[in-house]
Amino acid sequence: MENKFGAQRLSATIGGKEITIETGRLANQADGSIWIQCGGTVVLVTACTQPTDRDLGFFPLTVEYTEKMYAAGRIPGSFFRREMGRPSERETLCARVIDRPIRPMFPKGFRDEVQVLANVISSDQLNESDVLALTGASAALTISSIPFDGPIAGARVCRVNGEFVLNPTVKEQEGADLNLVFAASRDAVVMVEGEANFVPEAVIADALSWGHKEIEPLFDLQDELRKLCGKEKLEFTPPVPNEELKARVEELATEDLKAALQVADKMERKEARKAVKVKVMETLSAEEQYEEDPSPLAEVGDILGALEKDIVRTRIHKEGLRIDGRDVSTVRPIVIETGVLPRAHGSSIFARGETKSMVVATLGSTTDEQRMDSLMGDVTKRFMLHYNFAPYCVGEVKMVRVSRREIGHGALAEKALRPILPSSEDFPFTVRVVSETMESNGSSSMAAVTGGCMSLMDAGIPVKAPVAGIAMGLIKEGDDYIVLTDILGDEDALGDMDFKIAGTAEGITAVQMDIKISGIPSEVMVRALEQARDARLHILDEMAKELPASREELSKYAPQIATLEVNPDVIRVIIGPGGKNIKAITAATDASIDIEDSGKVTIFAPTLESLEQAREMVQYYDQRAELGKDYMGKVKKILEIGAIVEILPNVEALVHISQLDIARIEKVEDLVSLGEDMKVKVIEINDGRVRASRKAVLLEAQGTPWTPESTARPQRRPGGRDDRRGGGRDDRRNGGRRDDRRGGGRR
């Protein structure tokens, strides 16, 4: 590529593919701008900062990821035909994949506003853009003036046919039994997100270790690019703590805070901690040095937070005891109930300690599948899991909306449960699971996994195996690493790791890990995975006590399903002109009907009665004539030799002139009118051609039974000639002479 803009461009081969990062061609007014490319996929990542007028009490970092539809030569499907409004679920999840590993890399106390924008501007629909955006974000921050403790890099590791593959194509991922997206610094893996098909713990650890080694050139690229064109970093001095105030707060609060942090109940503990702060503030406000200038007291909250963290971590490290009195490997008490909602297809309540979720499973037809517009084209999902975290679950009052966190937790739980669902061929339903977090004190996403599995089993969905989830934590004190099983919300906030692991007794189905420190040794990760397995098996045992397997039958309120085969030639008749017939069936029965070109018809109906009615209406258009059966037909065409009568939808029969009446007739028009109803009997079926007789019906009305012989064609006599138009020669008893040329005789 010709370098017309004087851009700095570097490349390296990663996993057998060339990855290029460059800067200086686009978005040069940003603090950092990176063009990162693999194959025909290009992501433009920018990083900008600006000081804020006030201290918000947190680091104001925003990360956005957008897939531009022009990148794949597509026009957006929205009404406005442009990328706007709420990000798609994929865009939200990719933004989280970028945000989670870079956020801990900024210096503590840095409060300037930072915005990272990743835009996919070209997509070859082969190479994934999410991991490129992650590495590009790190590169943009590394060369910018923004303080950043990088670089980091991202990649995807899959296992295909037993071999690890780095950054596989979209097609290659389809055959993988392990798919992990990870971020790492030079020293350690710092973020993991992925799914697996019952993969052992050791394989997960090996995949991450292998992938970490493979991406080392990406660190070198970023360091070299910074040397070539990096900006001078902003001067940032971490806030200096008020040592005098800190000592006084610790003196006033330590003992009371220790007692408060041993209160097992979350809400009571919250009130006890609040009371300690109130007491400290009242005491300090009355002291002479703060009466005149109380502004230093604004730091009391941060000082108490740091003191809480130190108390909790020290107790775990030295005594092996946690906030609620558990040791480091014990799972909180579990209570499970299924079938809790009378009309839901499947429901459960899963409680682990003070975390409780009500999870509901709903079955639908294929028309209920989620359809999404993406760079890869229109895609559909037959399984959806939605996670909700209402303010009441933590006793708060705030705006009700679906946050990025909720989308991320729902996606993780969805990955965990997807491998256990039966195939669409065996179970052609769309399935939606909704997890309503009722009470939260840590790991509500894993409650969504476990409760979601129970709701699927309660609905009668034949899952391959039960799945349970557990969240692991970590406390690093010096060189000691203490792994915590089933972390509380406070332990998540005060600890160094949040590692969520879901799976069956056989292996892992989903993982998500975030590290708040520089990284953890591989042996610690292996220990966490094994400790999580013990906890998962314990939870699976508790699940089996409530419901050992899926119920034998679907809920009576679930949709009913039937599959039948019809003649492909009648599909157009079933659908009807402009969909008239199919719309009439669905309107009459409330059923949903899917028709494949092969003639396979799948009927989804709300009740058994509706199902049978819809089946009957579909089969009406696929009826086949039966020999000897009477039909009320309609004359569709008049011929010289007889009449064509439609006896069934899409089934026509020839009624020869000799079979129109008992008496001989000269012309068909003498007896038959176009469009009139005519009752006939089927007298011959030969290779799909049907012959019928009105004469046989009339004879039966007079008491003469019909037999196949009574209306059979005359056999050819030796030396004679058949009537090639189907009538042969009339029996001479019916007129004593040969038919004239206008009848069934030969011309």
Side-chain angles (χ1 to χ4, degrees), residues 432-444:
R432 179 182 184 235
V433 172
V434 179
S435 178
E436 304 283 2
T437 307
M438 292 294 165
E439 301 160 29
S440 179
N441 189 13
S443 191
S444 55

Side-chain angles (χ1 to χ4, degrees), residues 20 68 105 220 267 288 294 317 343 394 409 421 433 437 440 442 448 480 491 573:
T20 300
K68 303 294 187 179
M105 310 300 286
D220 297 333
M267 301 308 288
E288 182 178 351
H317 182 225
R343 291 300 297 264
V394 286
H409 282 1
L421 292 175
V433 172
T437 307
S440 179
D480 293 336
E491 291 171 339
V573 183

Side-chain angles (χ1 to χ4, degrees), residues 306-594:
L307 181 58
E308 287 181 9
K309 183 175 182 178
D310 182 64
I311 291 171
V312 171
R313 294 168 67 95
T314 299
R315 187 178 184 218
I316 292 173
H317 182 225
K318 293 186 175 181
E319 302 177 37
L321 295 176
R322 297 155 67 176
I323 293 174
D324 57 0
R326 284 181 295 149
D327 61 26
V328 296
S329 61
T330 298
V331 178
R332 288 172 288 175
I334 291 173
V335 180
I336 304 174
E337 185 179 357
T338 55
V340 294
L341 300 182
R343 291 300 297 264
H345 300 163
S347 60
S348 72
I349 294 176
F350 177 81
R352 186 177 56 242
E354 293 174 293
T355 294
K356 183 183 296 179
S357 294
M358 181 182 72
V359 194
V360 185
T362 306
L363 281 70
S365 70
T366 52
T367 58
D368 294 311
E369 290 180 347
Q370 184 181 12
R371 287 165 172 78
M372 298 168 291
D373 200 16
S374 75
L375 293 180
M376 302 299 171
D378 295 331
V379 296
T380 60
K381 284 174 62 176
R382 63 179 285 261
F383 175 56
M384 299 156 279
L385 193 148
H386 297 143
Y387 165 97
N388 295 322
F389 194 89
Y392 61 74
C393 73
V394 286
E396 295 179 353
V397 177
K398 60 182 180 181
M399 182 183 297
V400 177
R401 63 183 182 91
V402 179
S403 66
R404 284 186 170 188
R405 175 181 175 275
E406 287 171 273
I407 293 173
H409 282 1
L412 176 63
E414 185 178 296
K415 290 175 184 176
L417 294 177
R418 189 186 297 124
I420 67 170
L421 292 175
S423 67
S424 57
E425 290 77 17
D426 297 332
F427 193 76
F429 286 95
T430 298
V431 180
R432 179 182 184 235
V433 172
V434 179
S435 178
E436 304 283 2
T437 307
M438 292 294 165
E439 301 160 29
S440 179
N441 189 13
S443 191
S444 55
S445 63
M446 294 297 95
V449 171
T450 311
C453 180
M454 298 301 292
S455 72
L456 294 173
M457 294 166 66
D458 182 56
I461 298 173
V463 301
K464 297 175 184 176
V467 166
I470 194 72
M472 310 298 290
L474 182 74
I475 299 294
K476 180 182 182 297
E477 292 293 331
D479 294 330
D480 293 336
Y481 292 85
I482 304 167
V483 178
L484 307 179
T485 295
D486 186 19
I487 54 175
L488 302 174
D490 288 339
E491 291 171 339
D492 185 7
L494 303 176
D496 300 320
M497 178 182 75
D498 182 11
F499 196 179
K500 301 180 178 72
I501 306 162
T504 65
E506 180 183 346
I508 290 174
T509 57
V511 295
Q512 184 184 89
M513 182 183 74
D514 292 302
I515 300 292
K516 301 175 187 177
I517 53 179
S518 59
I520 60 173
S522 58
E523 60 269 19
V524 175
M525 182 179 293
V526 171
R527 191 201 316 167
L529 287 166
E530 290 300 327
Q531 195 166 314
R533 183 176 187 276
D534 293 339
R536 189 170 77 244
L537 294 176
H538 166 71
I539 298 170
L540 289 169
D541 288 342
E542 294 297 313
M543 294 166 64
K545 294 176 183 177
E546 170 67 18
L547 196 60
S550 296
R551 301 198 188 279
E552 294 183 0
E553 296 182 354
L554 293 180
S555 163
K556 64 180 180 181
Y557 299 113
Q560 303 295 314
I561 185 172
T563 301
L564 56 146
E565 299 287 340
V566 300
N567 186 343
D569 294 337
V570 306
I571 291 176
R572 59 181 179 82
V573 183
I574 297 174
I575 296 172
K580 176 183 176 181
N581 295 342
I582 199 74
K583 289 176 182 177
I585 296 173
T586 57
T589 63
D590 290 330
S592 172
I593 301 172
D594 297 327

Side-chain angles (χ1 to χ4, degrees), residues 31-91:
D31 286 294
S33 173
I34 290 291
W35 167 302
I36 183 166
Q37 179 173 354
C38 179
T41 297
V42 180
V43 185
L44 176 68
V45 190
T46 59
C48 293
T49 186
Q50 62 185 17
T52 54
D53 297 333
R54 57 195 176 91
D55 186 355
L56 300 174
F58 60 89
F59 173 39
L61 169 67
T62 57
V63 177
E64 300 288 346
Y65 169 95
T66 305
E67 294 182 337
K68 303 294 187 179
M69 283 297 161
Y70 60 70
R74 296 174 57 83
I75 294 176
S78 67
F79 179 81
F80 296 101
R81 293 293 187 265
R82 67 174 295 164
E83 298 88 357
M84 63 182 299
R86 171 178 283 182
S88 69
E89 182 174 301
R90 172 175 163 82
E91 289 172 323

Side-chain angles (χ1 to χ4, degrees), residues 94-106:
C94 290
R96 278 173 52 84
V97 162
I98 300 169
D99 186 307
R100 285 160 42 207
I102 67 172
R103 187 174 290 271
M105 310 300 286
F106 295 90

